[in-house]
Amino acid sequence: MDLGVISVRYARALIKSATALKVEDQVYKEMLTLYQSFLKVHDLKYTIDNPMLGKDKKTHLLETAMGGNPSELSRKFIALVLKGDRESTLQLMAASYISLYRQQKNITSGILTTAVPVTPVIEQKMQKLVESRTKGTVEFKTETDPDIIGGFILEYDTYQLDASVKTMLRTMYAQFL
């Protein structure tokens, strides 16, 4: 069976249960933390996939990766995943839950990249701009990249606005050739 199909099925079941129990926001935070833990700690996936590690140790490790004190629903979900020997797809399940939650709550993820750190006022203005275009809420993240020299790059959904000096210089260079 396809791993993507499995992960989406588990994620759908989790979001249905979480919504029914009105804990979908808390489970979202836990799945986001778990997903980020998988990204930051590359050995986590290999450790969880290790058949020599007991399920109780895997449970403790996964609860720690969720932030230390997960909700009762998340604990039951982890137990279900481990019981079915599906821990190898847990990262995909967390990603699928995040995606389904954002879709359900009309949340868009956006990134603003600038050459120097921006003030909170500018960050809020850019966030409001994206919110007005998407007609929903935006989870906004800012990054700094000195390589763009100046200006900014705004990304959300499939949209990208590149107003960086680096891109403008590259465009001018191509025109002169």
Side-chain angles (χ1 to χ4, degrees), residues 7 10 27 50 71 78 88 92 98 116 122 177:
S7 64
Y10 273 79
V27 173
N50 185 348
S71 64
I78 293 299
S88 62
L92 291 172
I98 292 165
V116 295
I122 292 175
L177 292 178

Side-chain angles (χ1 to χ4, degrees), residues 82-124:
L82 292 174
K83 181 180 178 188
D85 292 324
R86 300 282 193 193
E87 57 266 26
S88 62
T89 60
L90 195 54
Q91 183 177 4
L92 291 172
M93 290 176 198
S96 297
Y97 182 89
I98 292 165
S99 179
L100 290 170
Y101 177 87
R102 287 178 176 166
Q103 195 174 23
Q104 180 178 324
K105 300 286 185 174
N106 195 21
I107 297 173
T108 303
S109 181
I111 301 172
L112 175 65
T113 307
T114 57
V116 295
V118 295
T119 63
V121 173
I122 292 175
E123 185 178 341
Q124 282 182 336

Side-chain angles (χ1 to χ4, degrees), residues 149-165:
I149 305 169
F152 65 91
I153 301 171
L154 177 64
E155 300 172 79
Y156 64 92
D157 283 340
T158 58
Y159 181 78
Q160 180 180 13
L161 172 62
D162 190 343
S164 66
V165 172

Side-chain angles (χ1 to χ4, degrees), residues 105-109 127 131 134-139:
K105 300 286 185 174
N106 195 21
I107 297 173
T108 303
S109 181
Q127 185 173 356
E131 286 175 350
T134 61
K135 308 288 190 258
T137 56
V138 176
E139 286 183 351

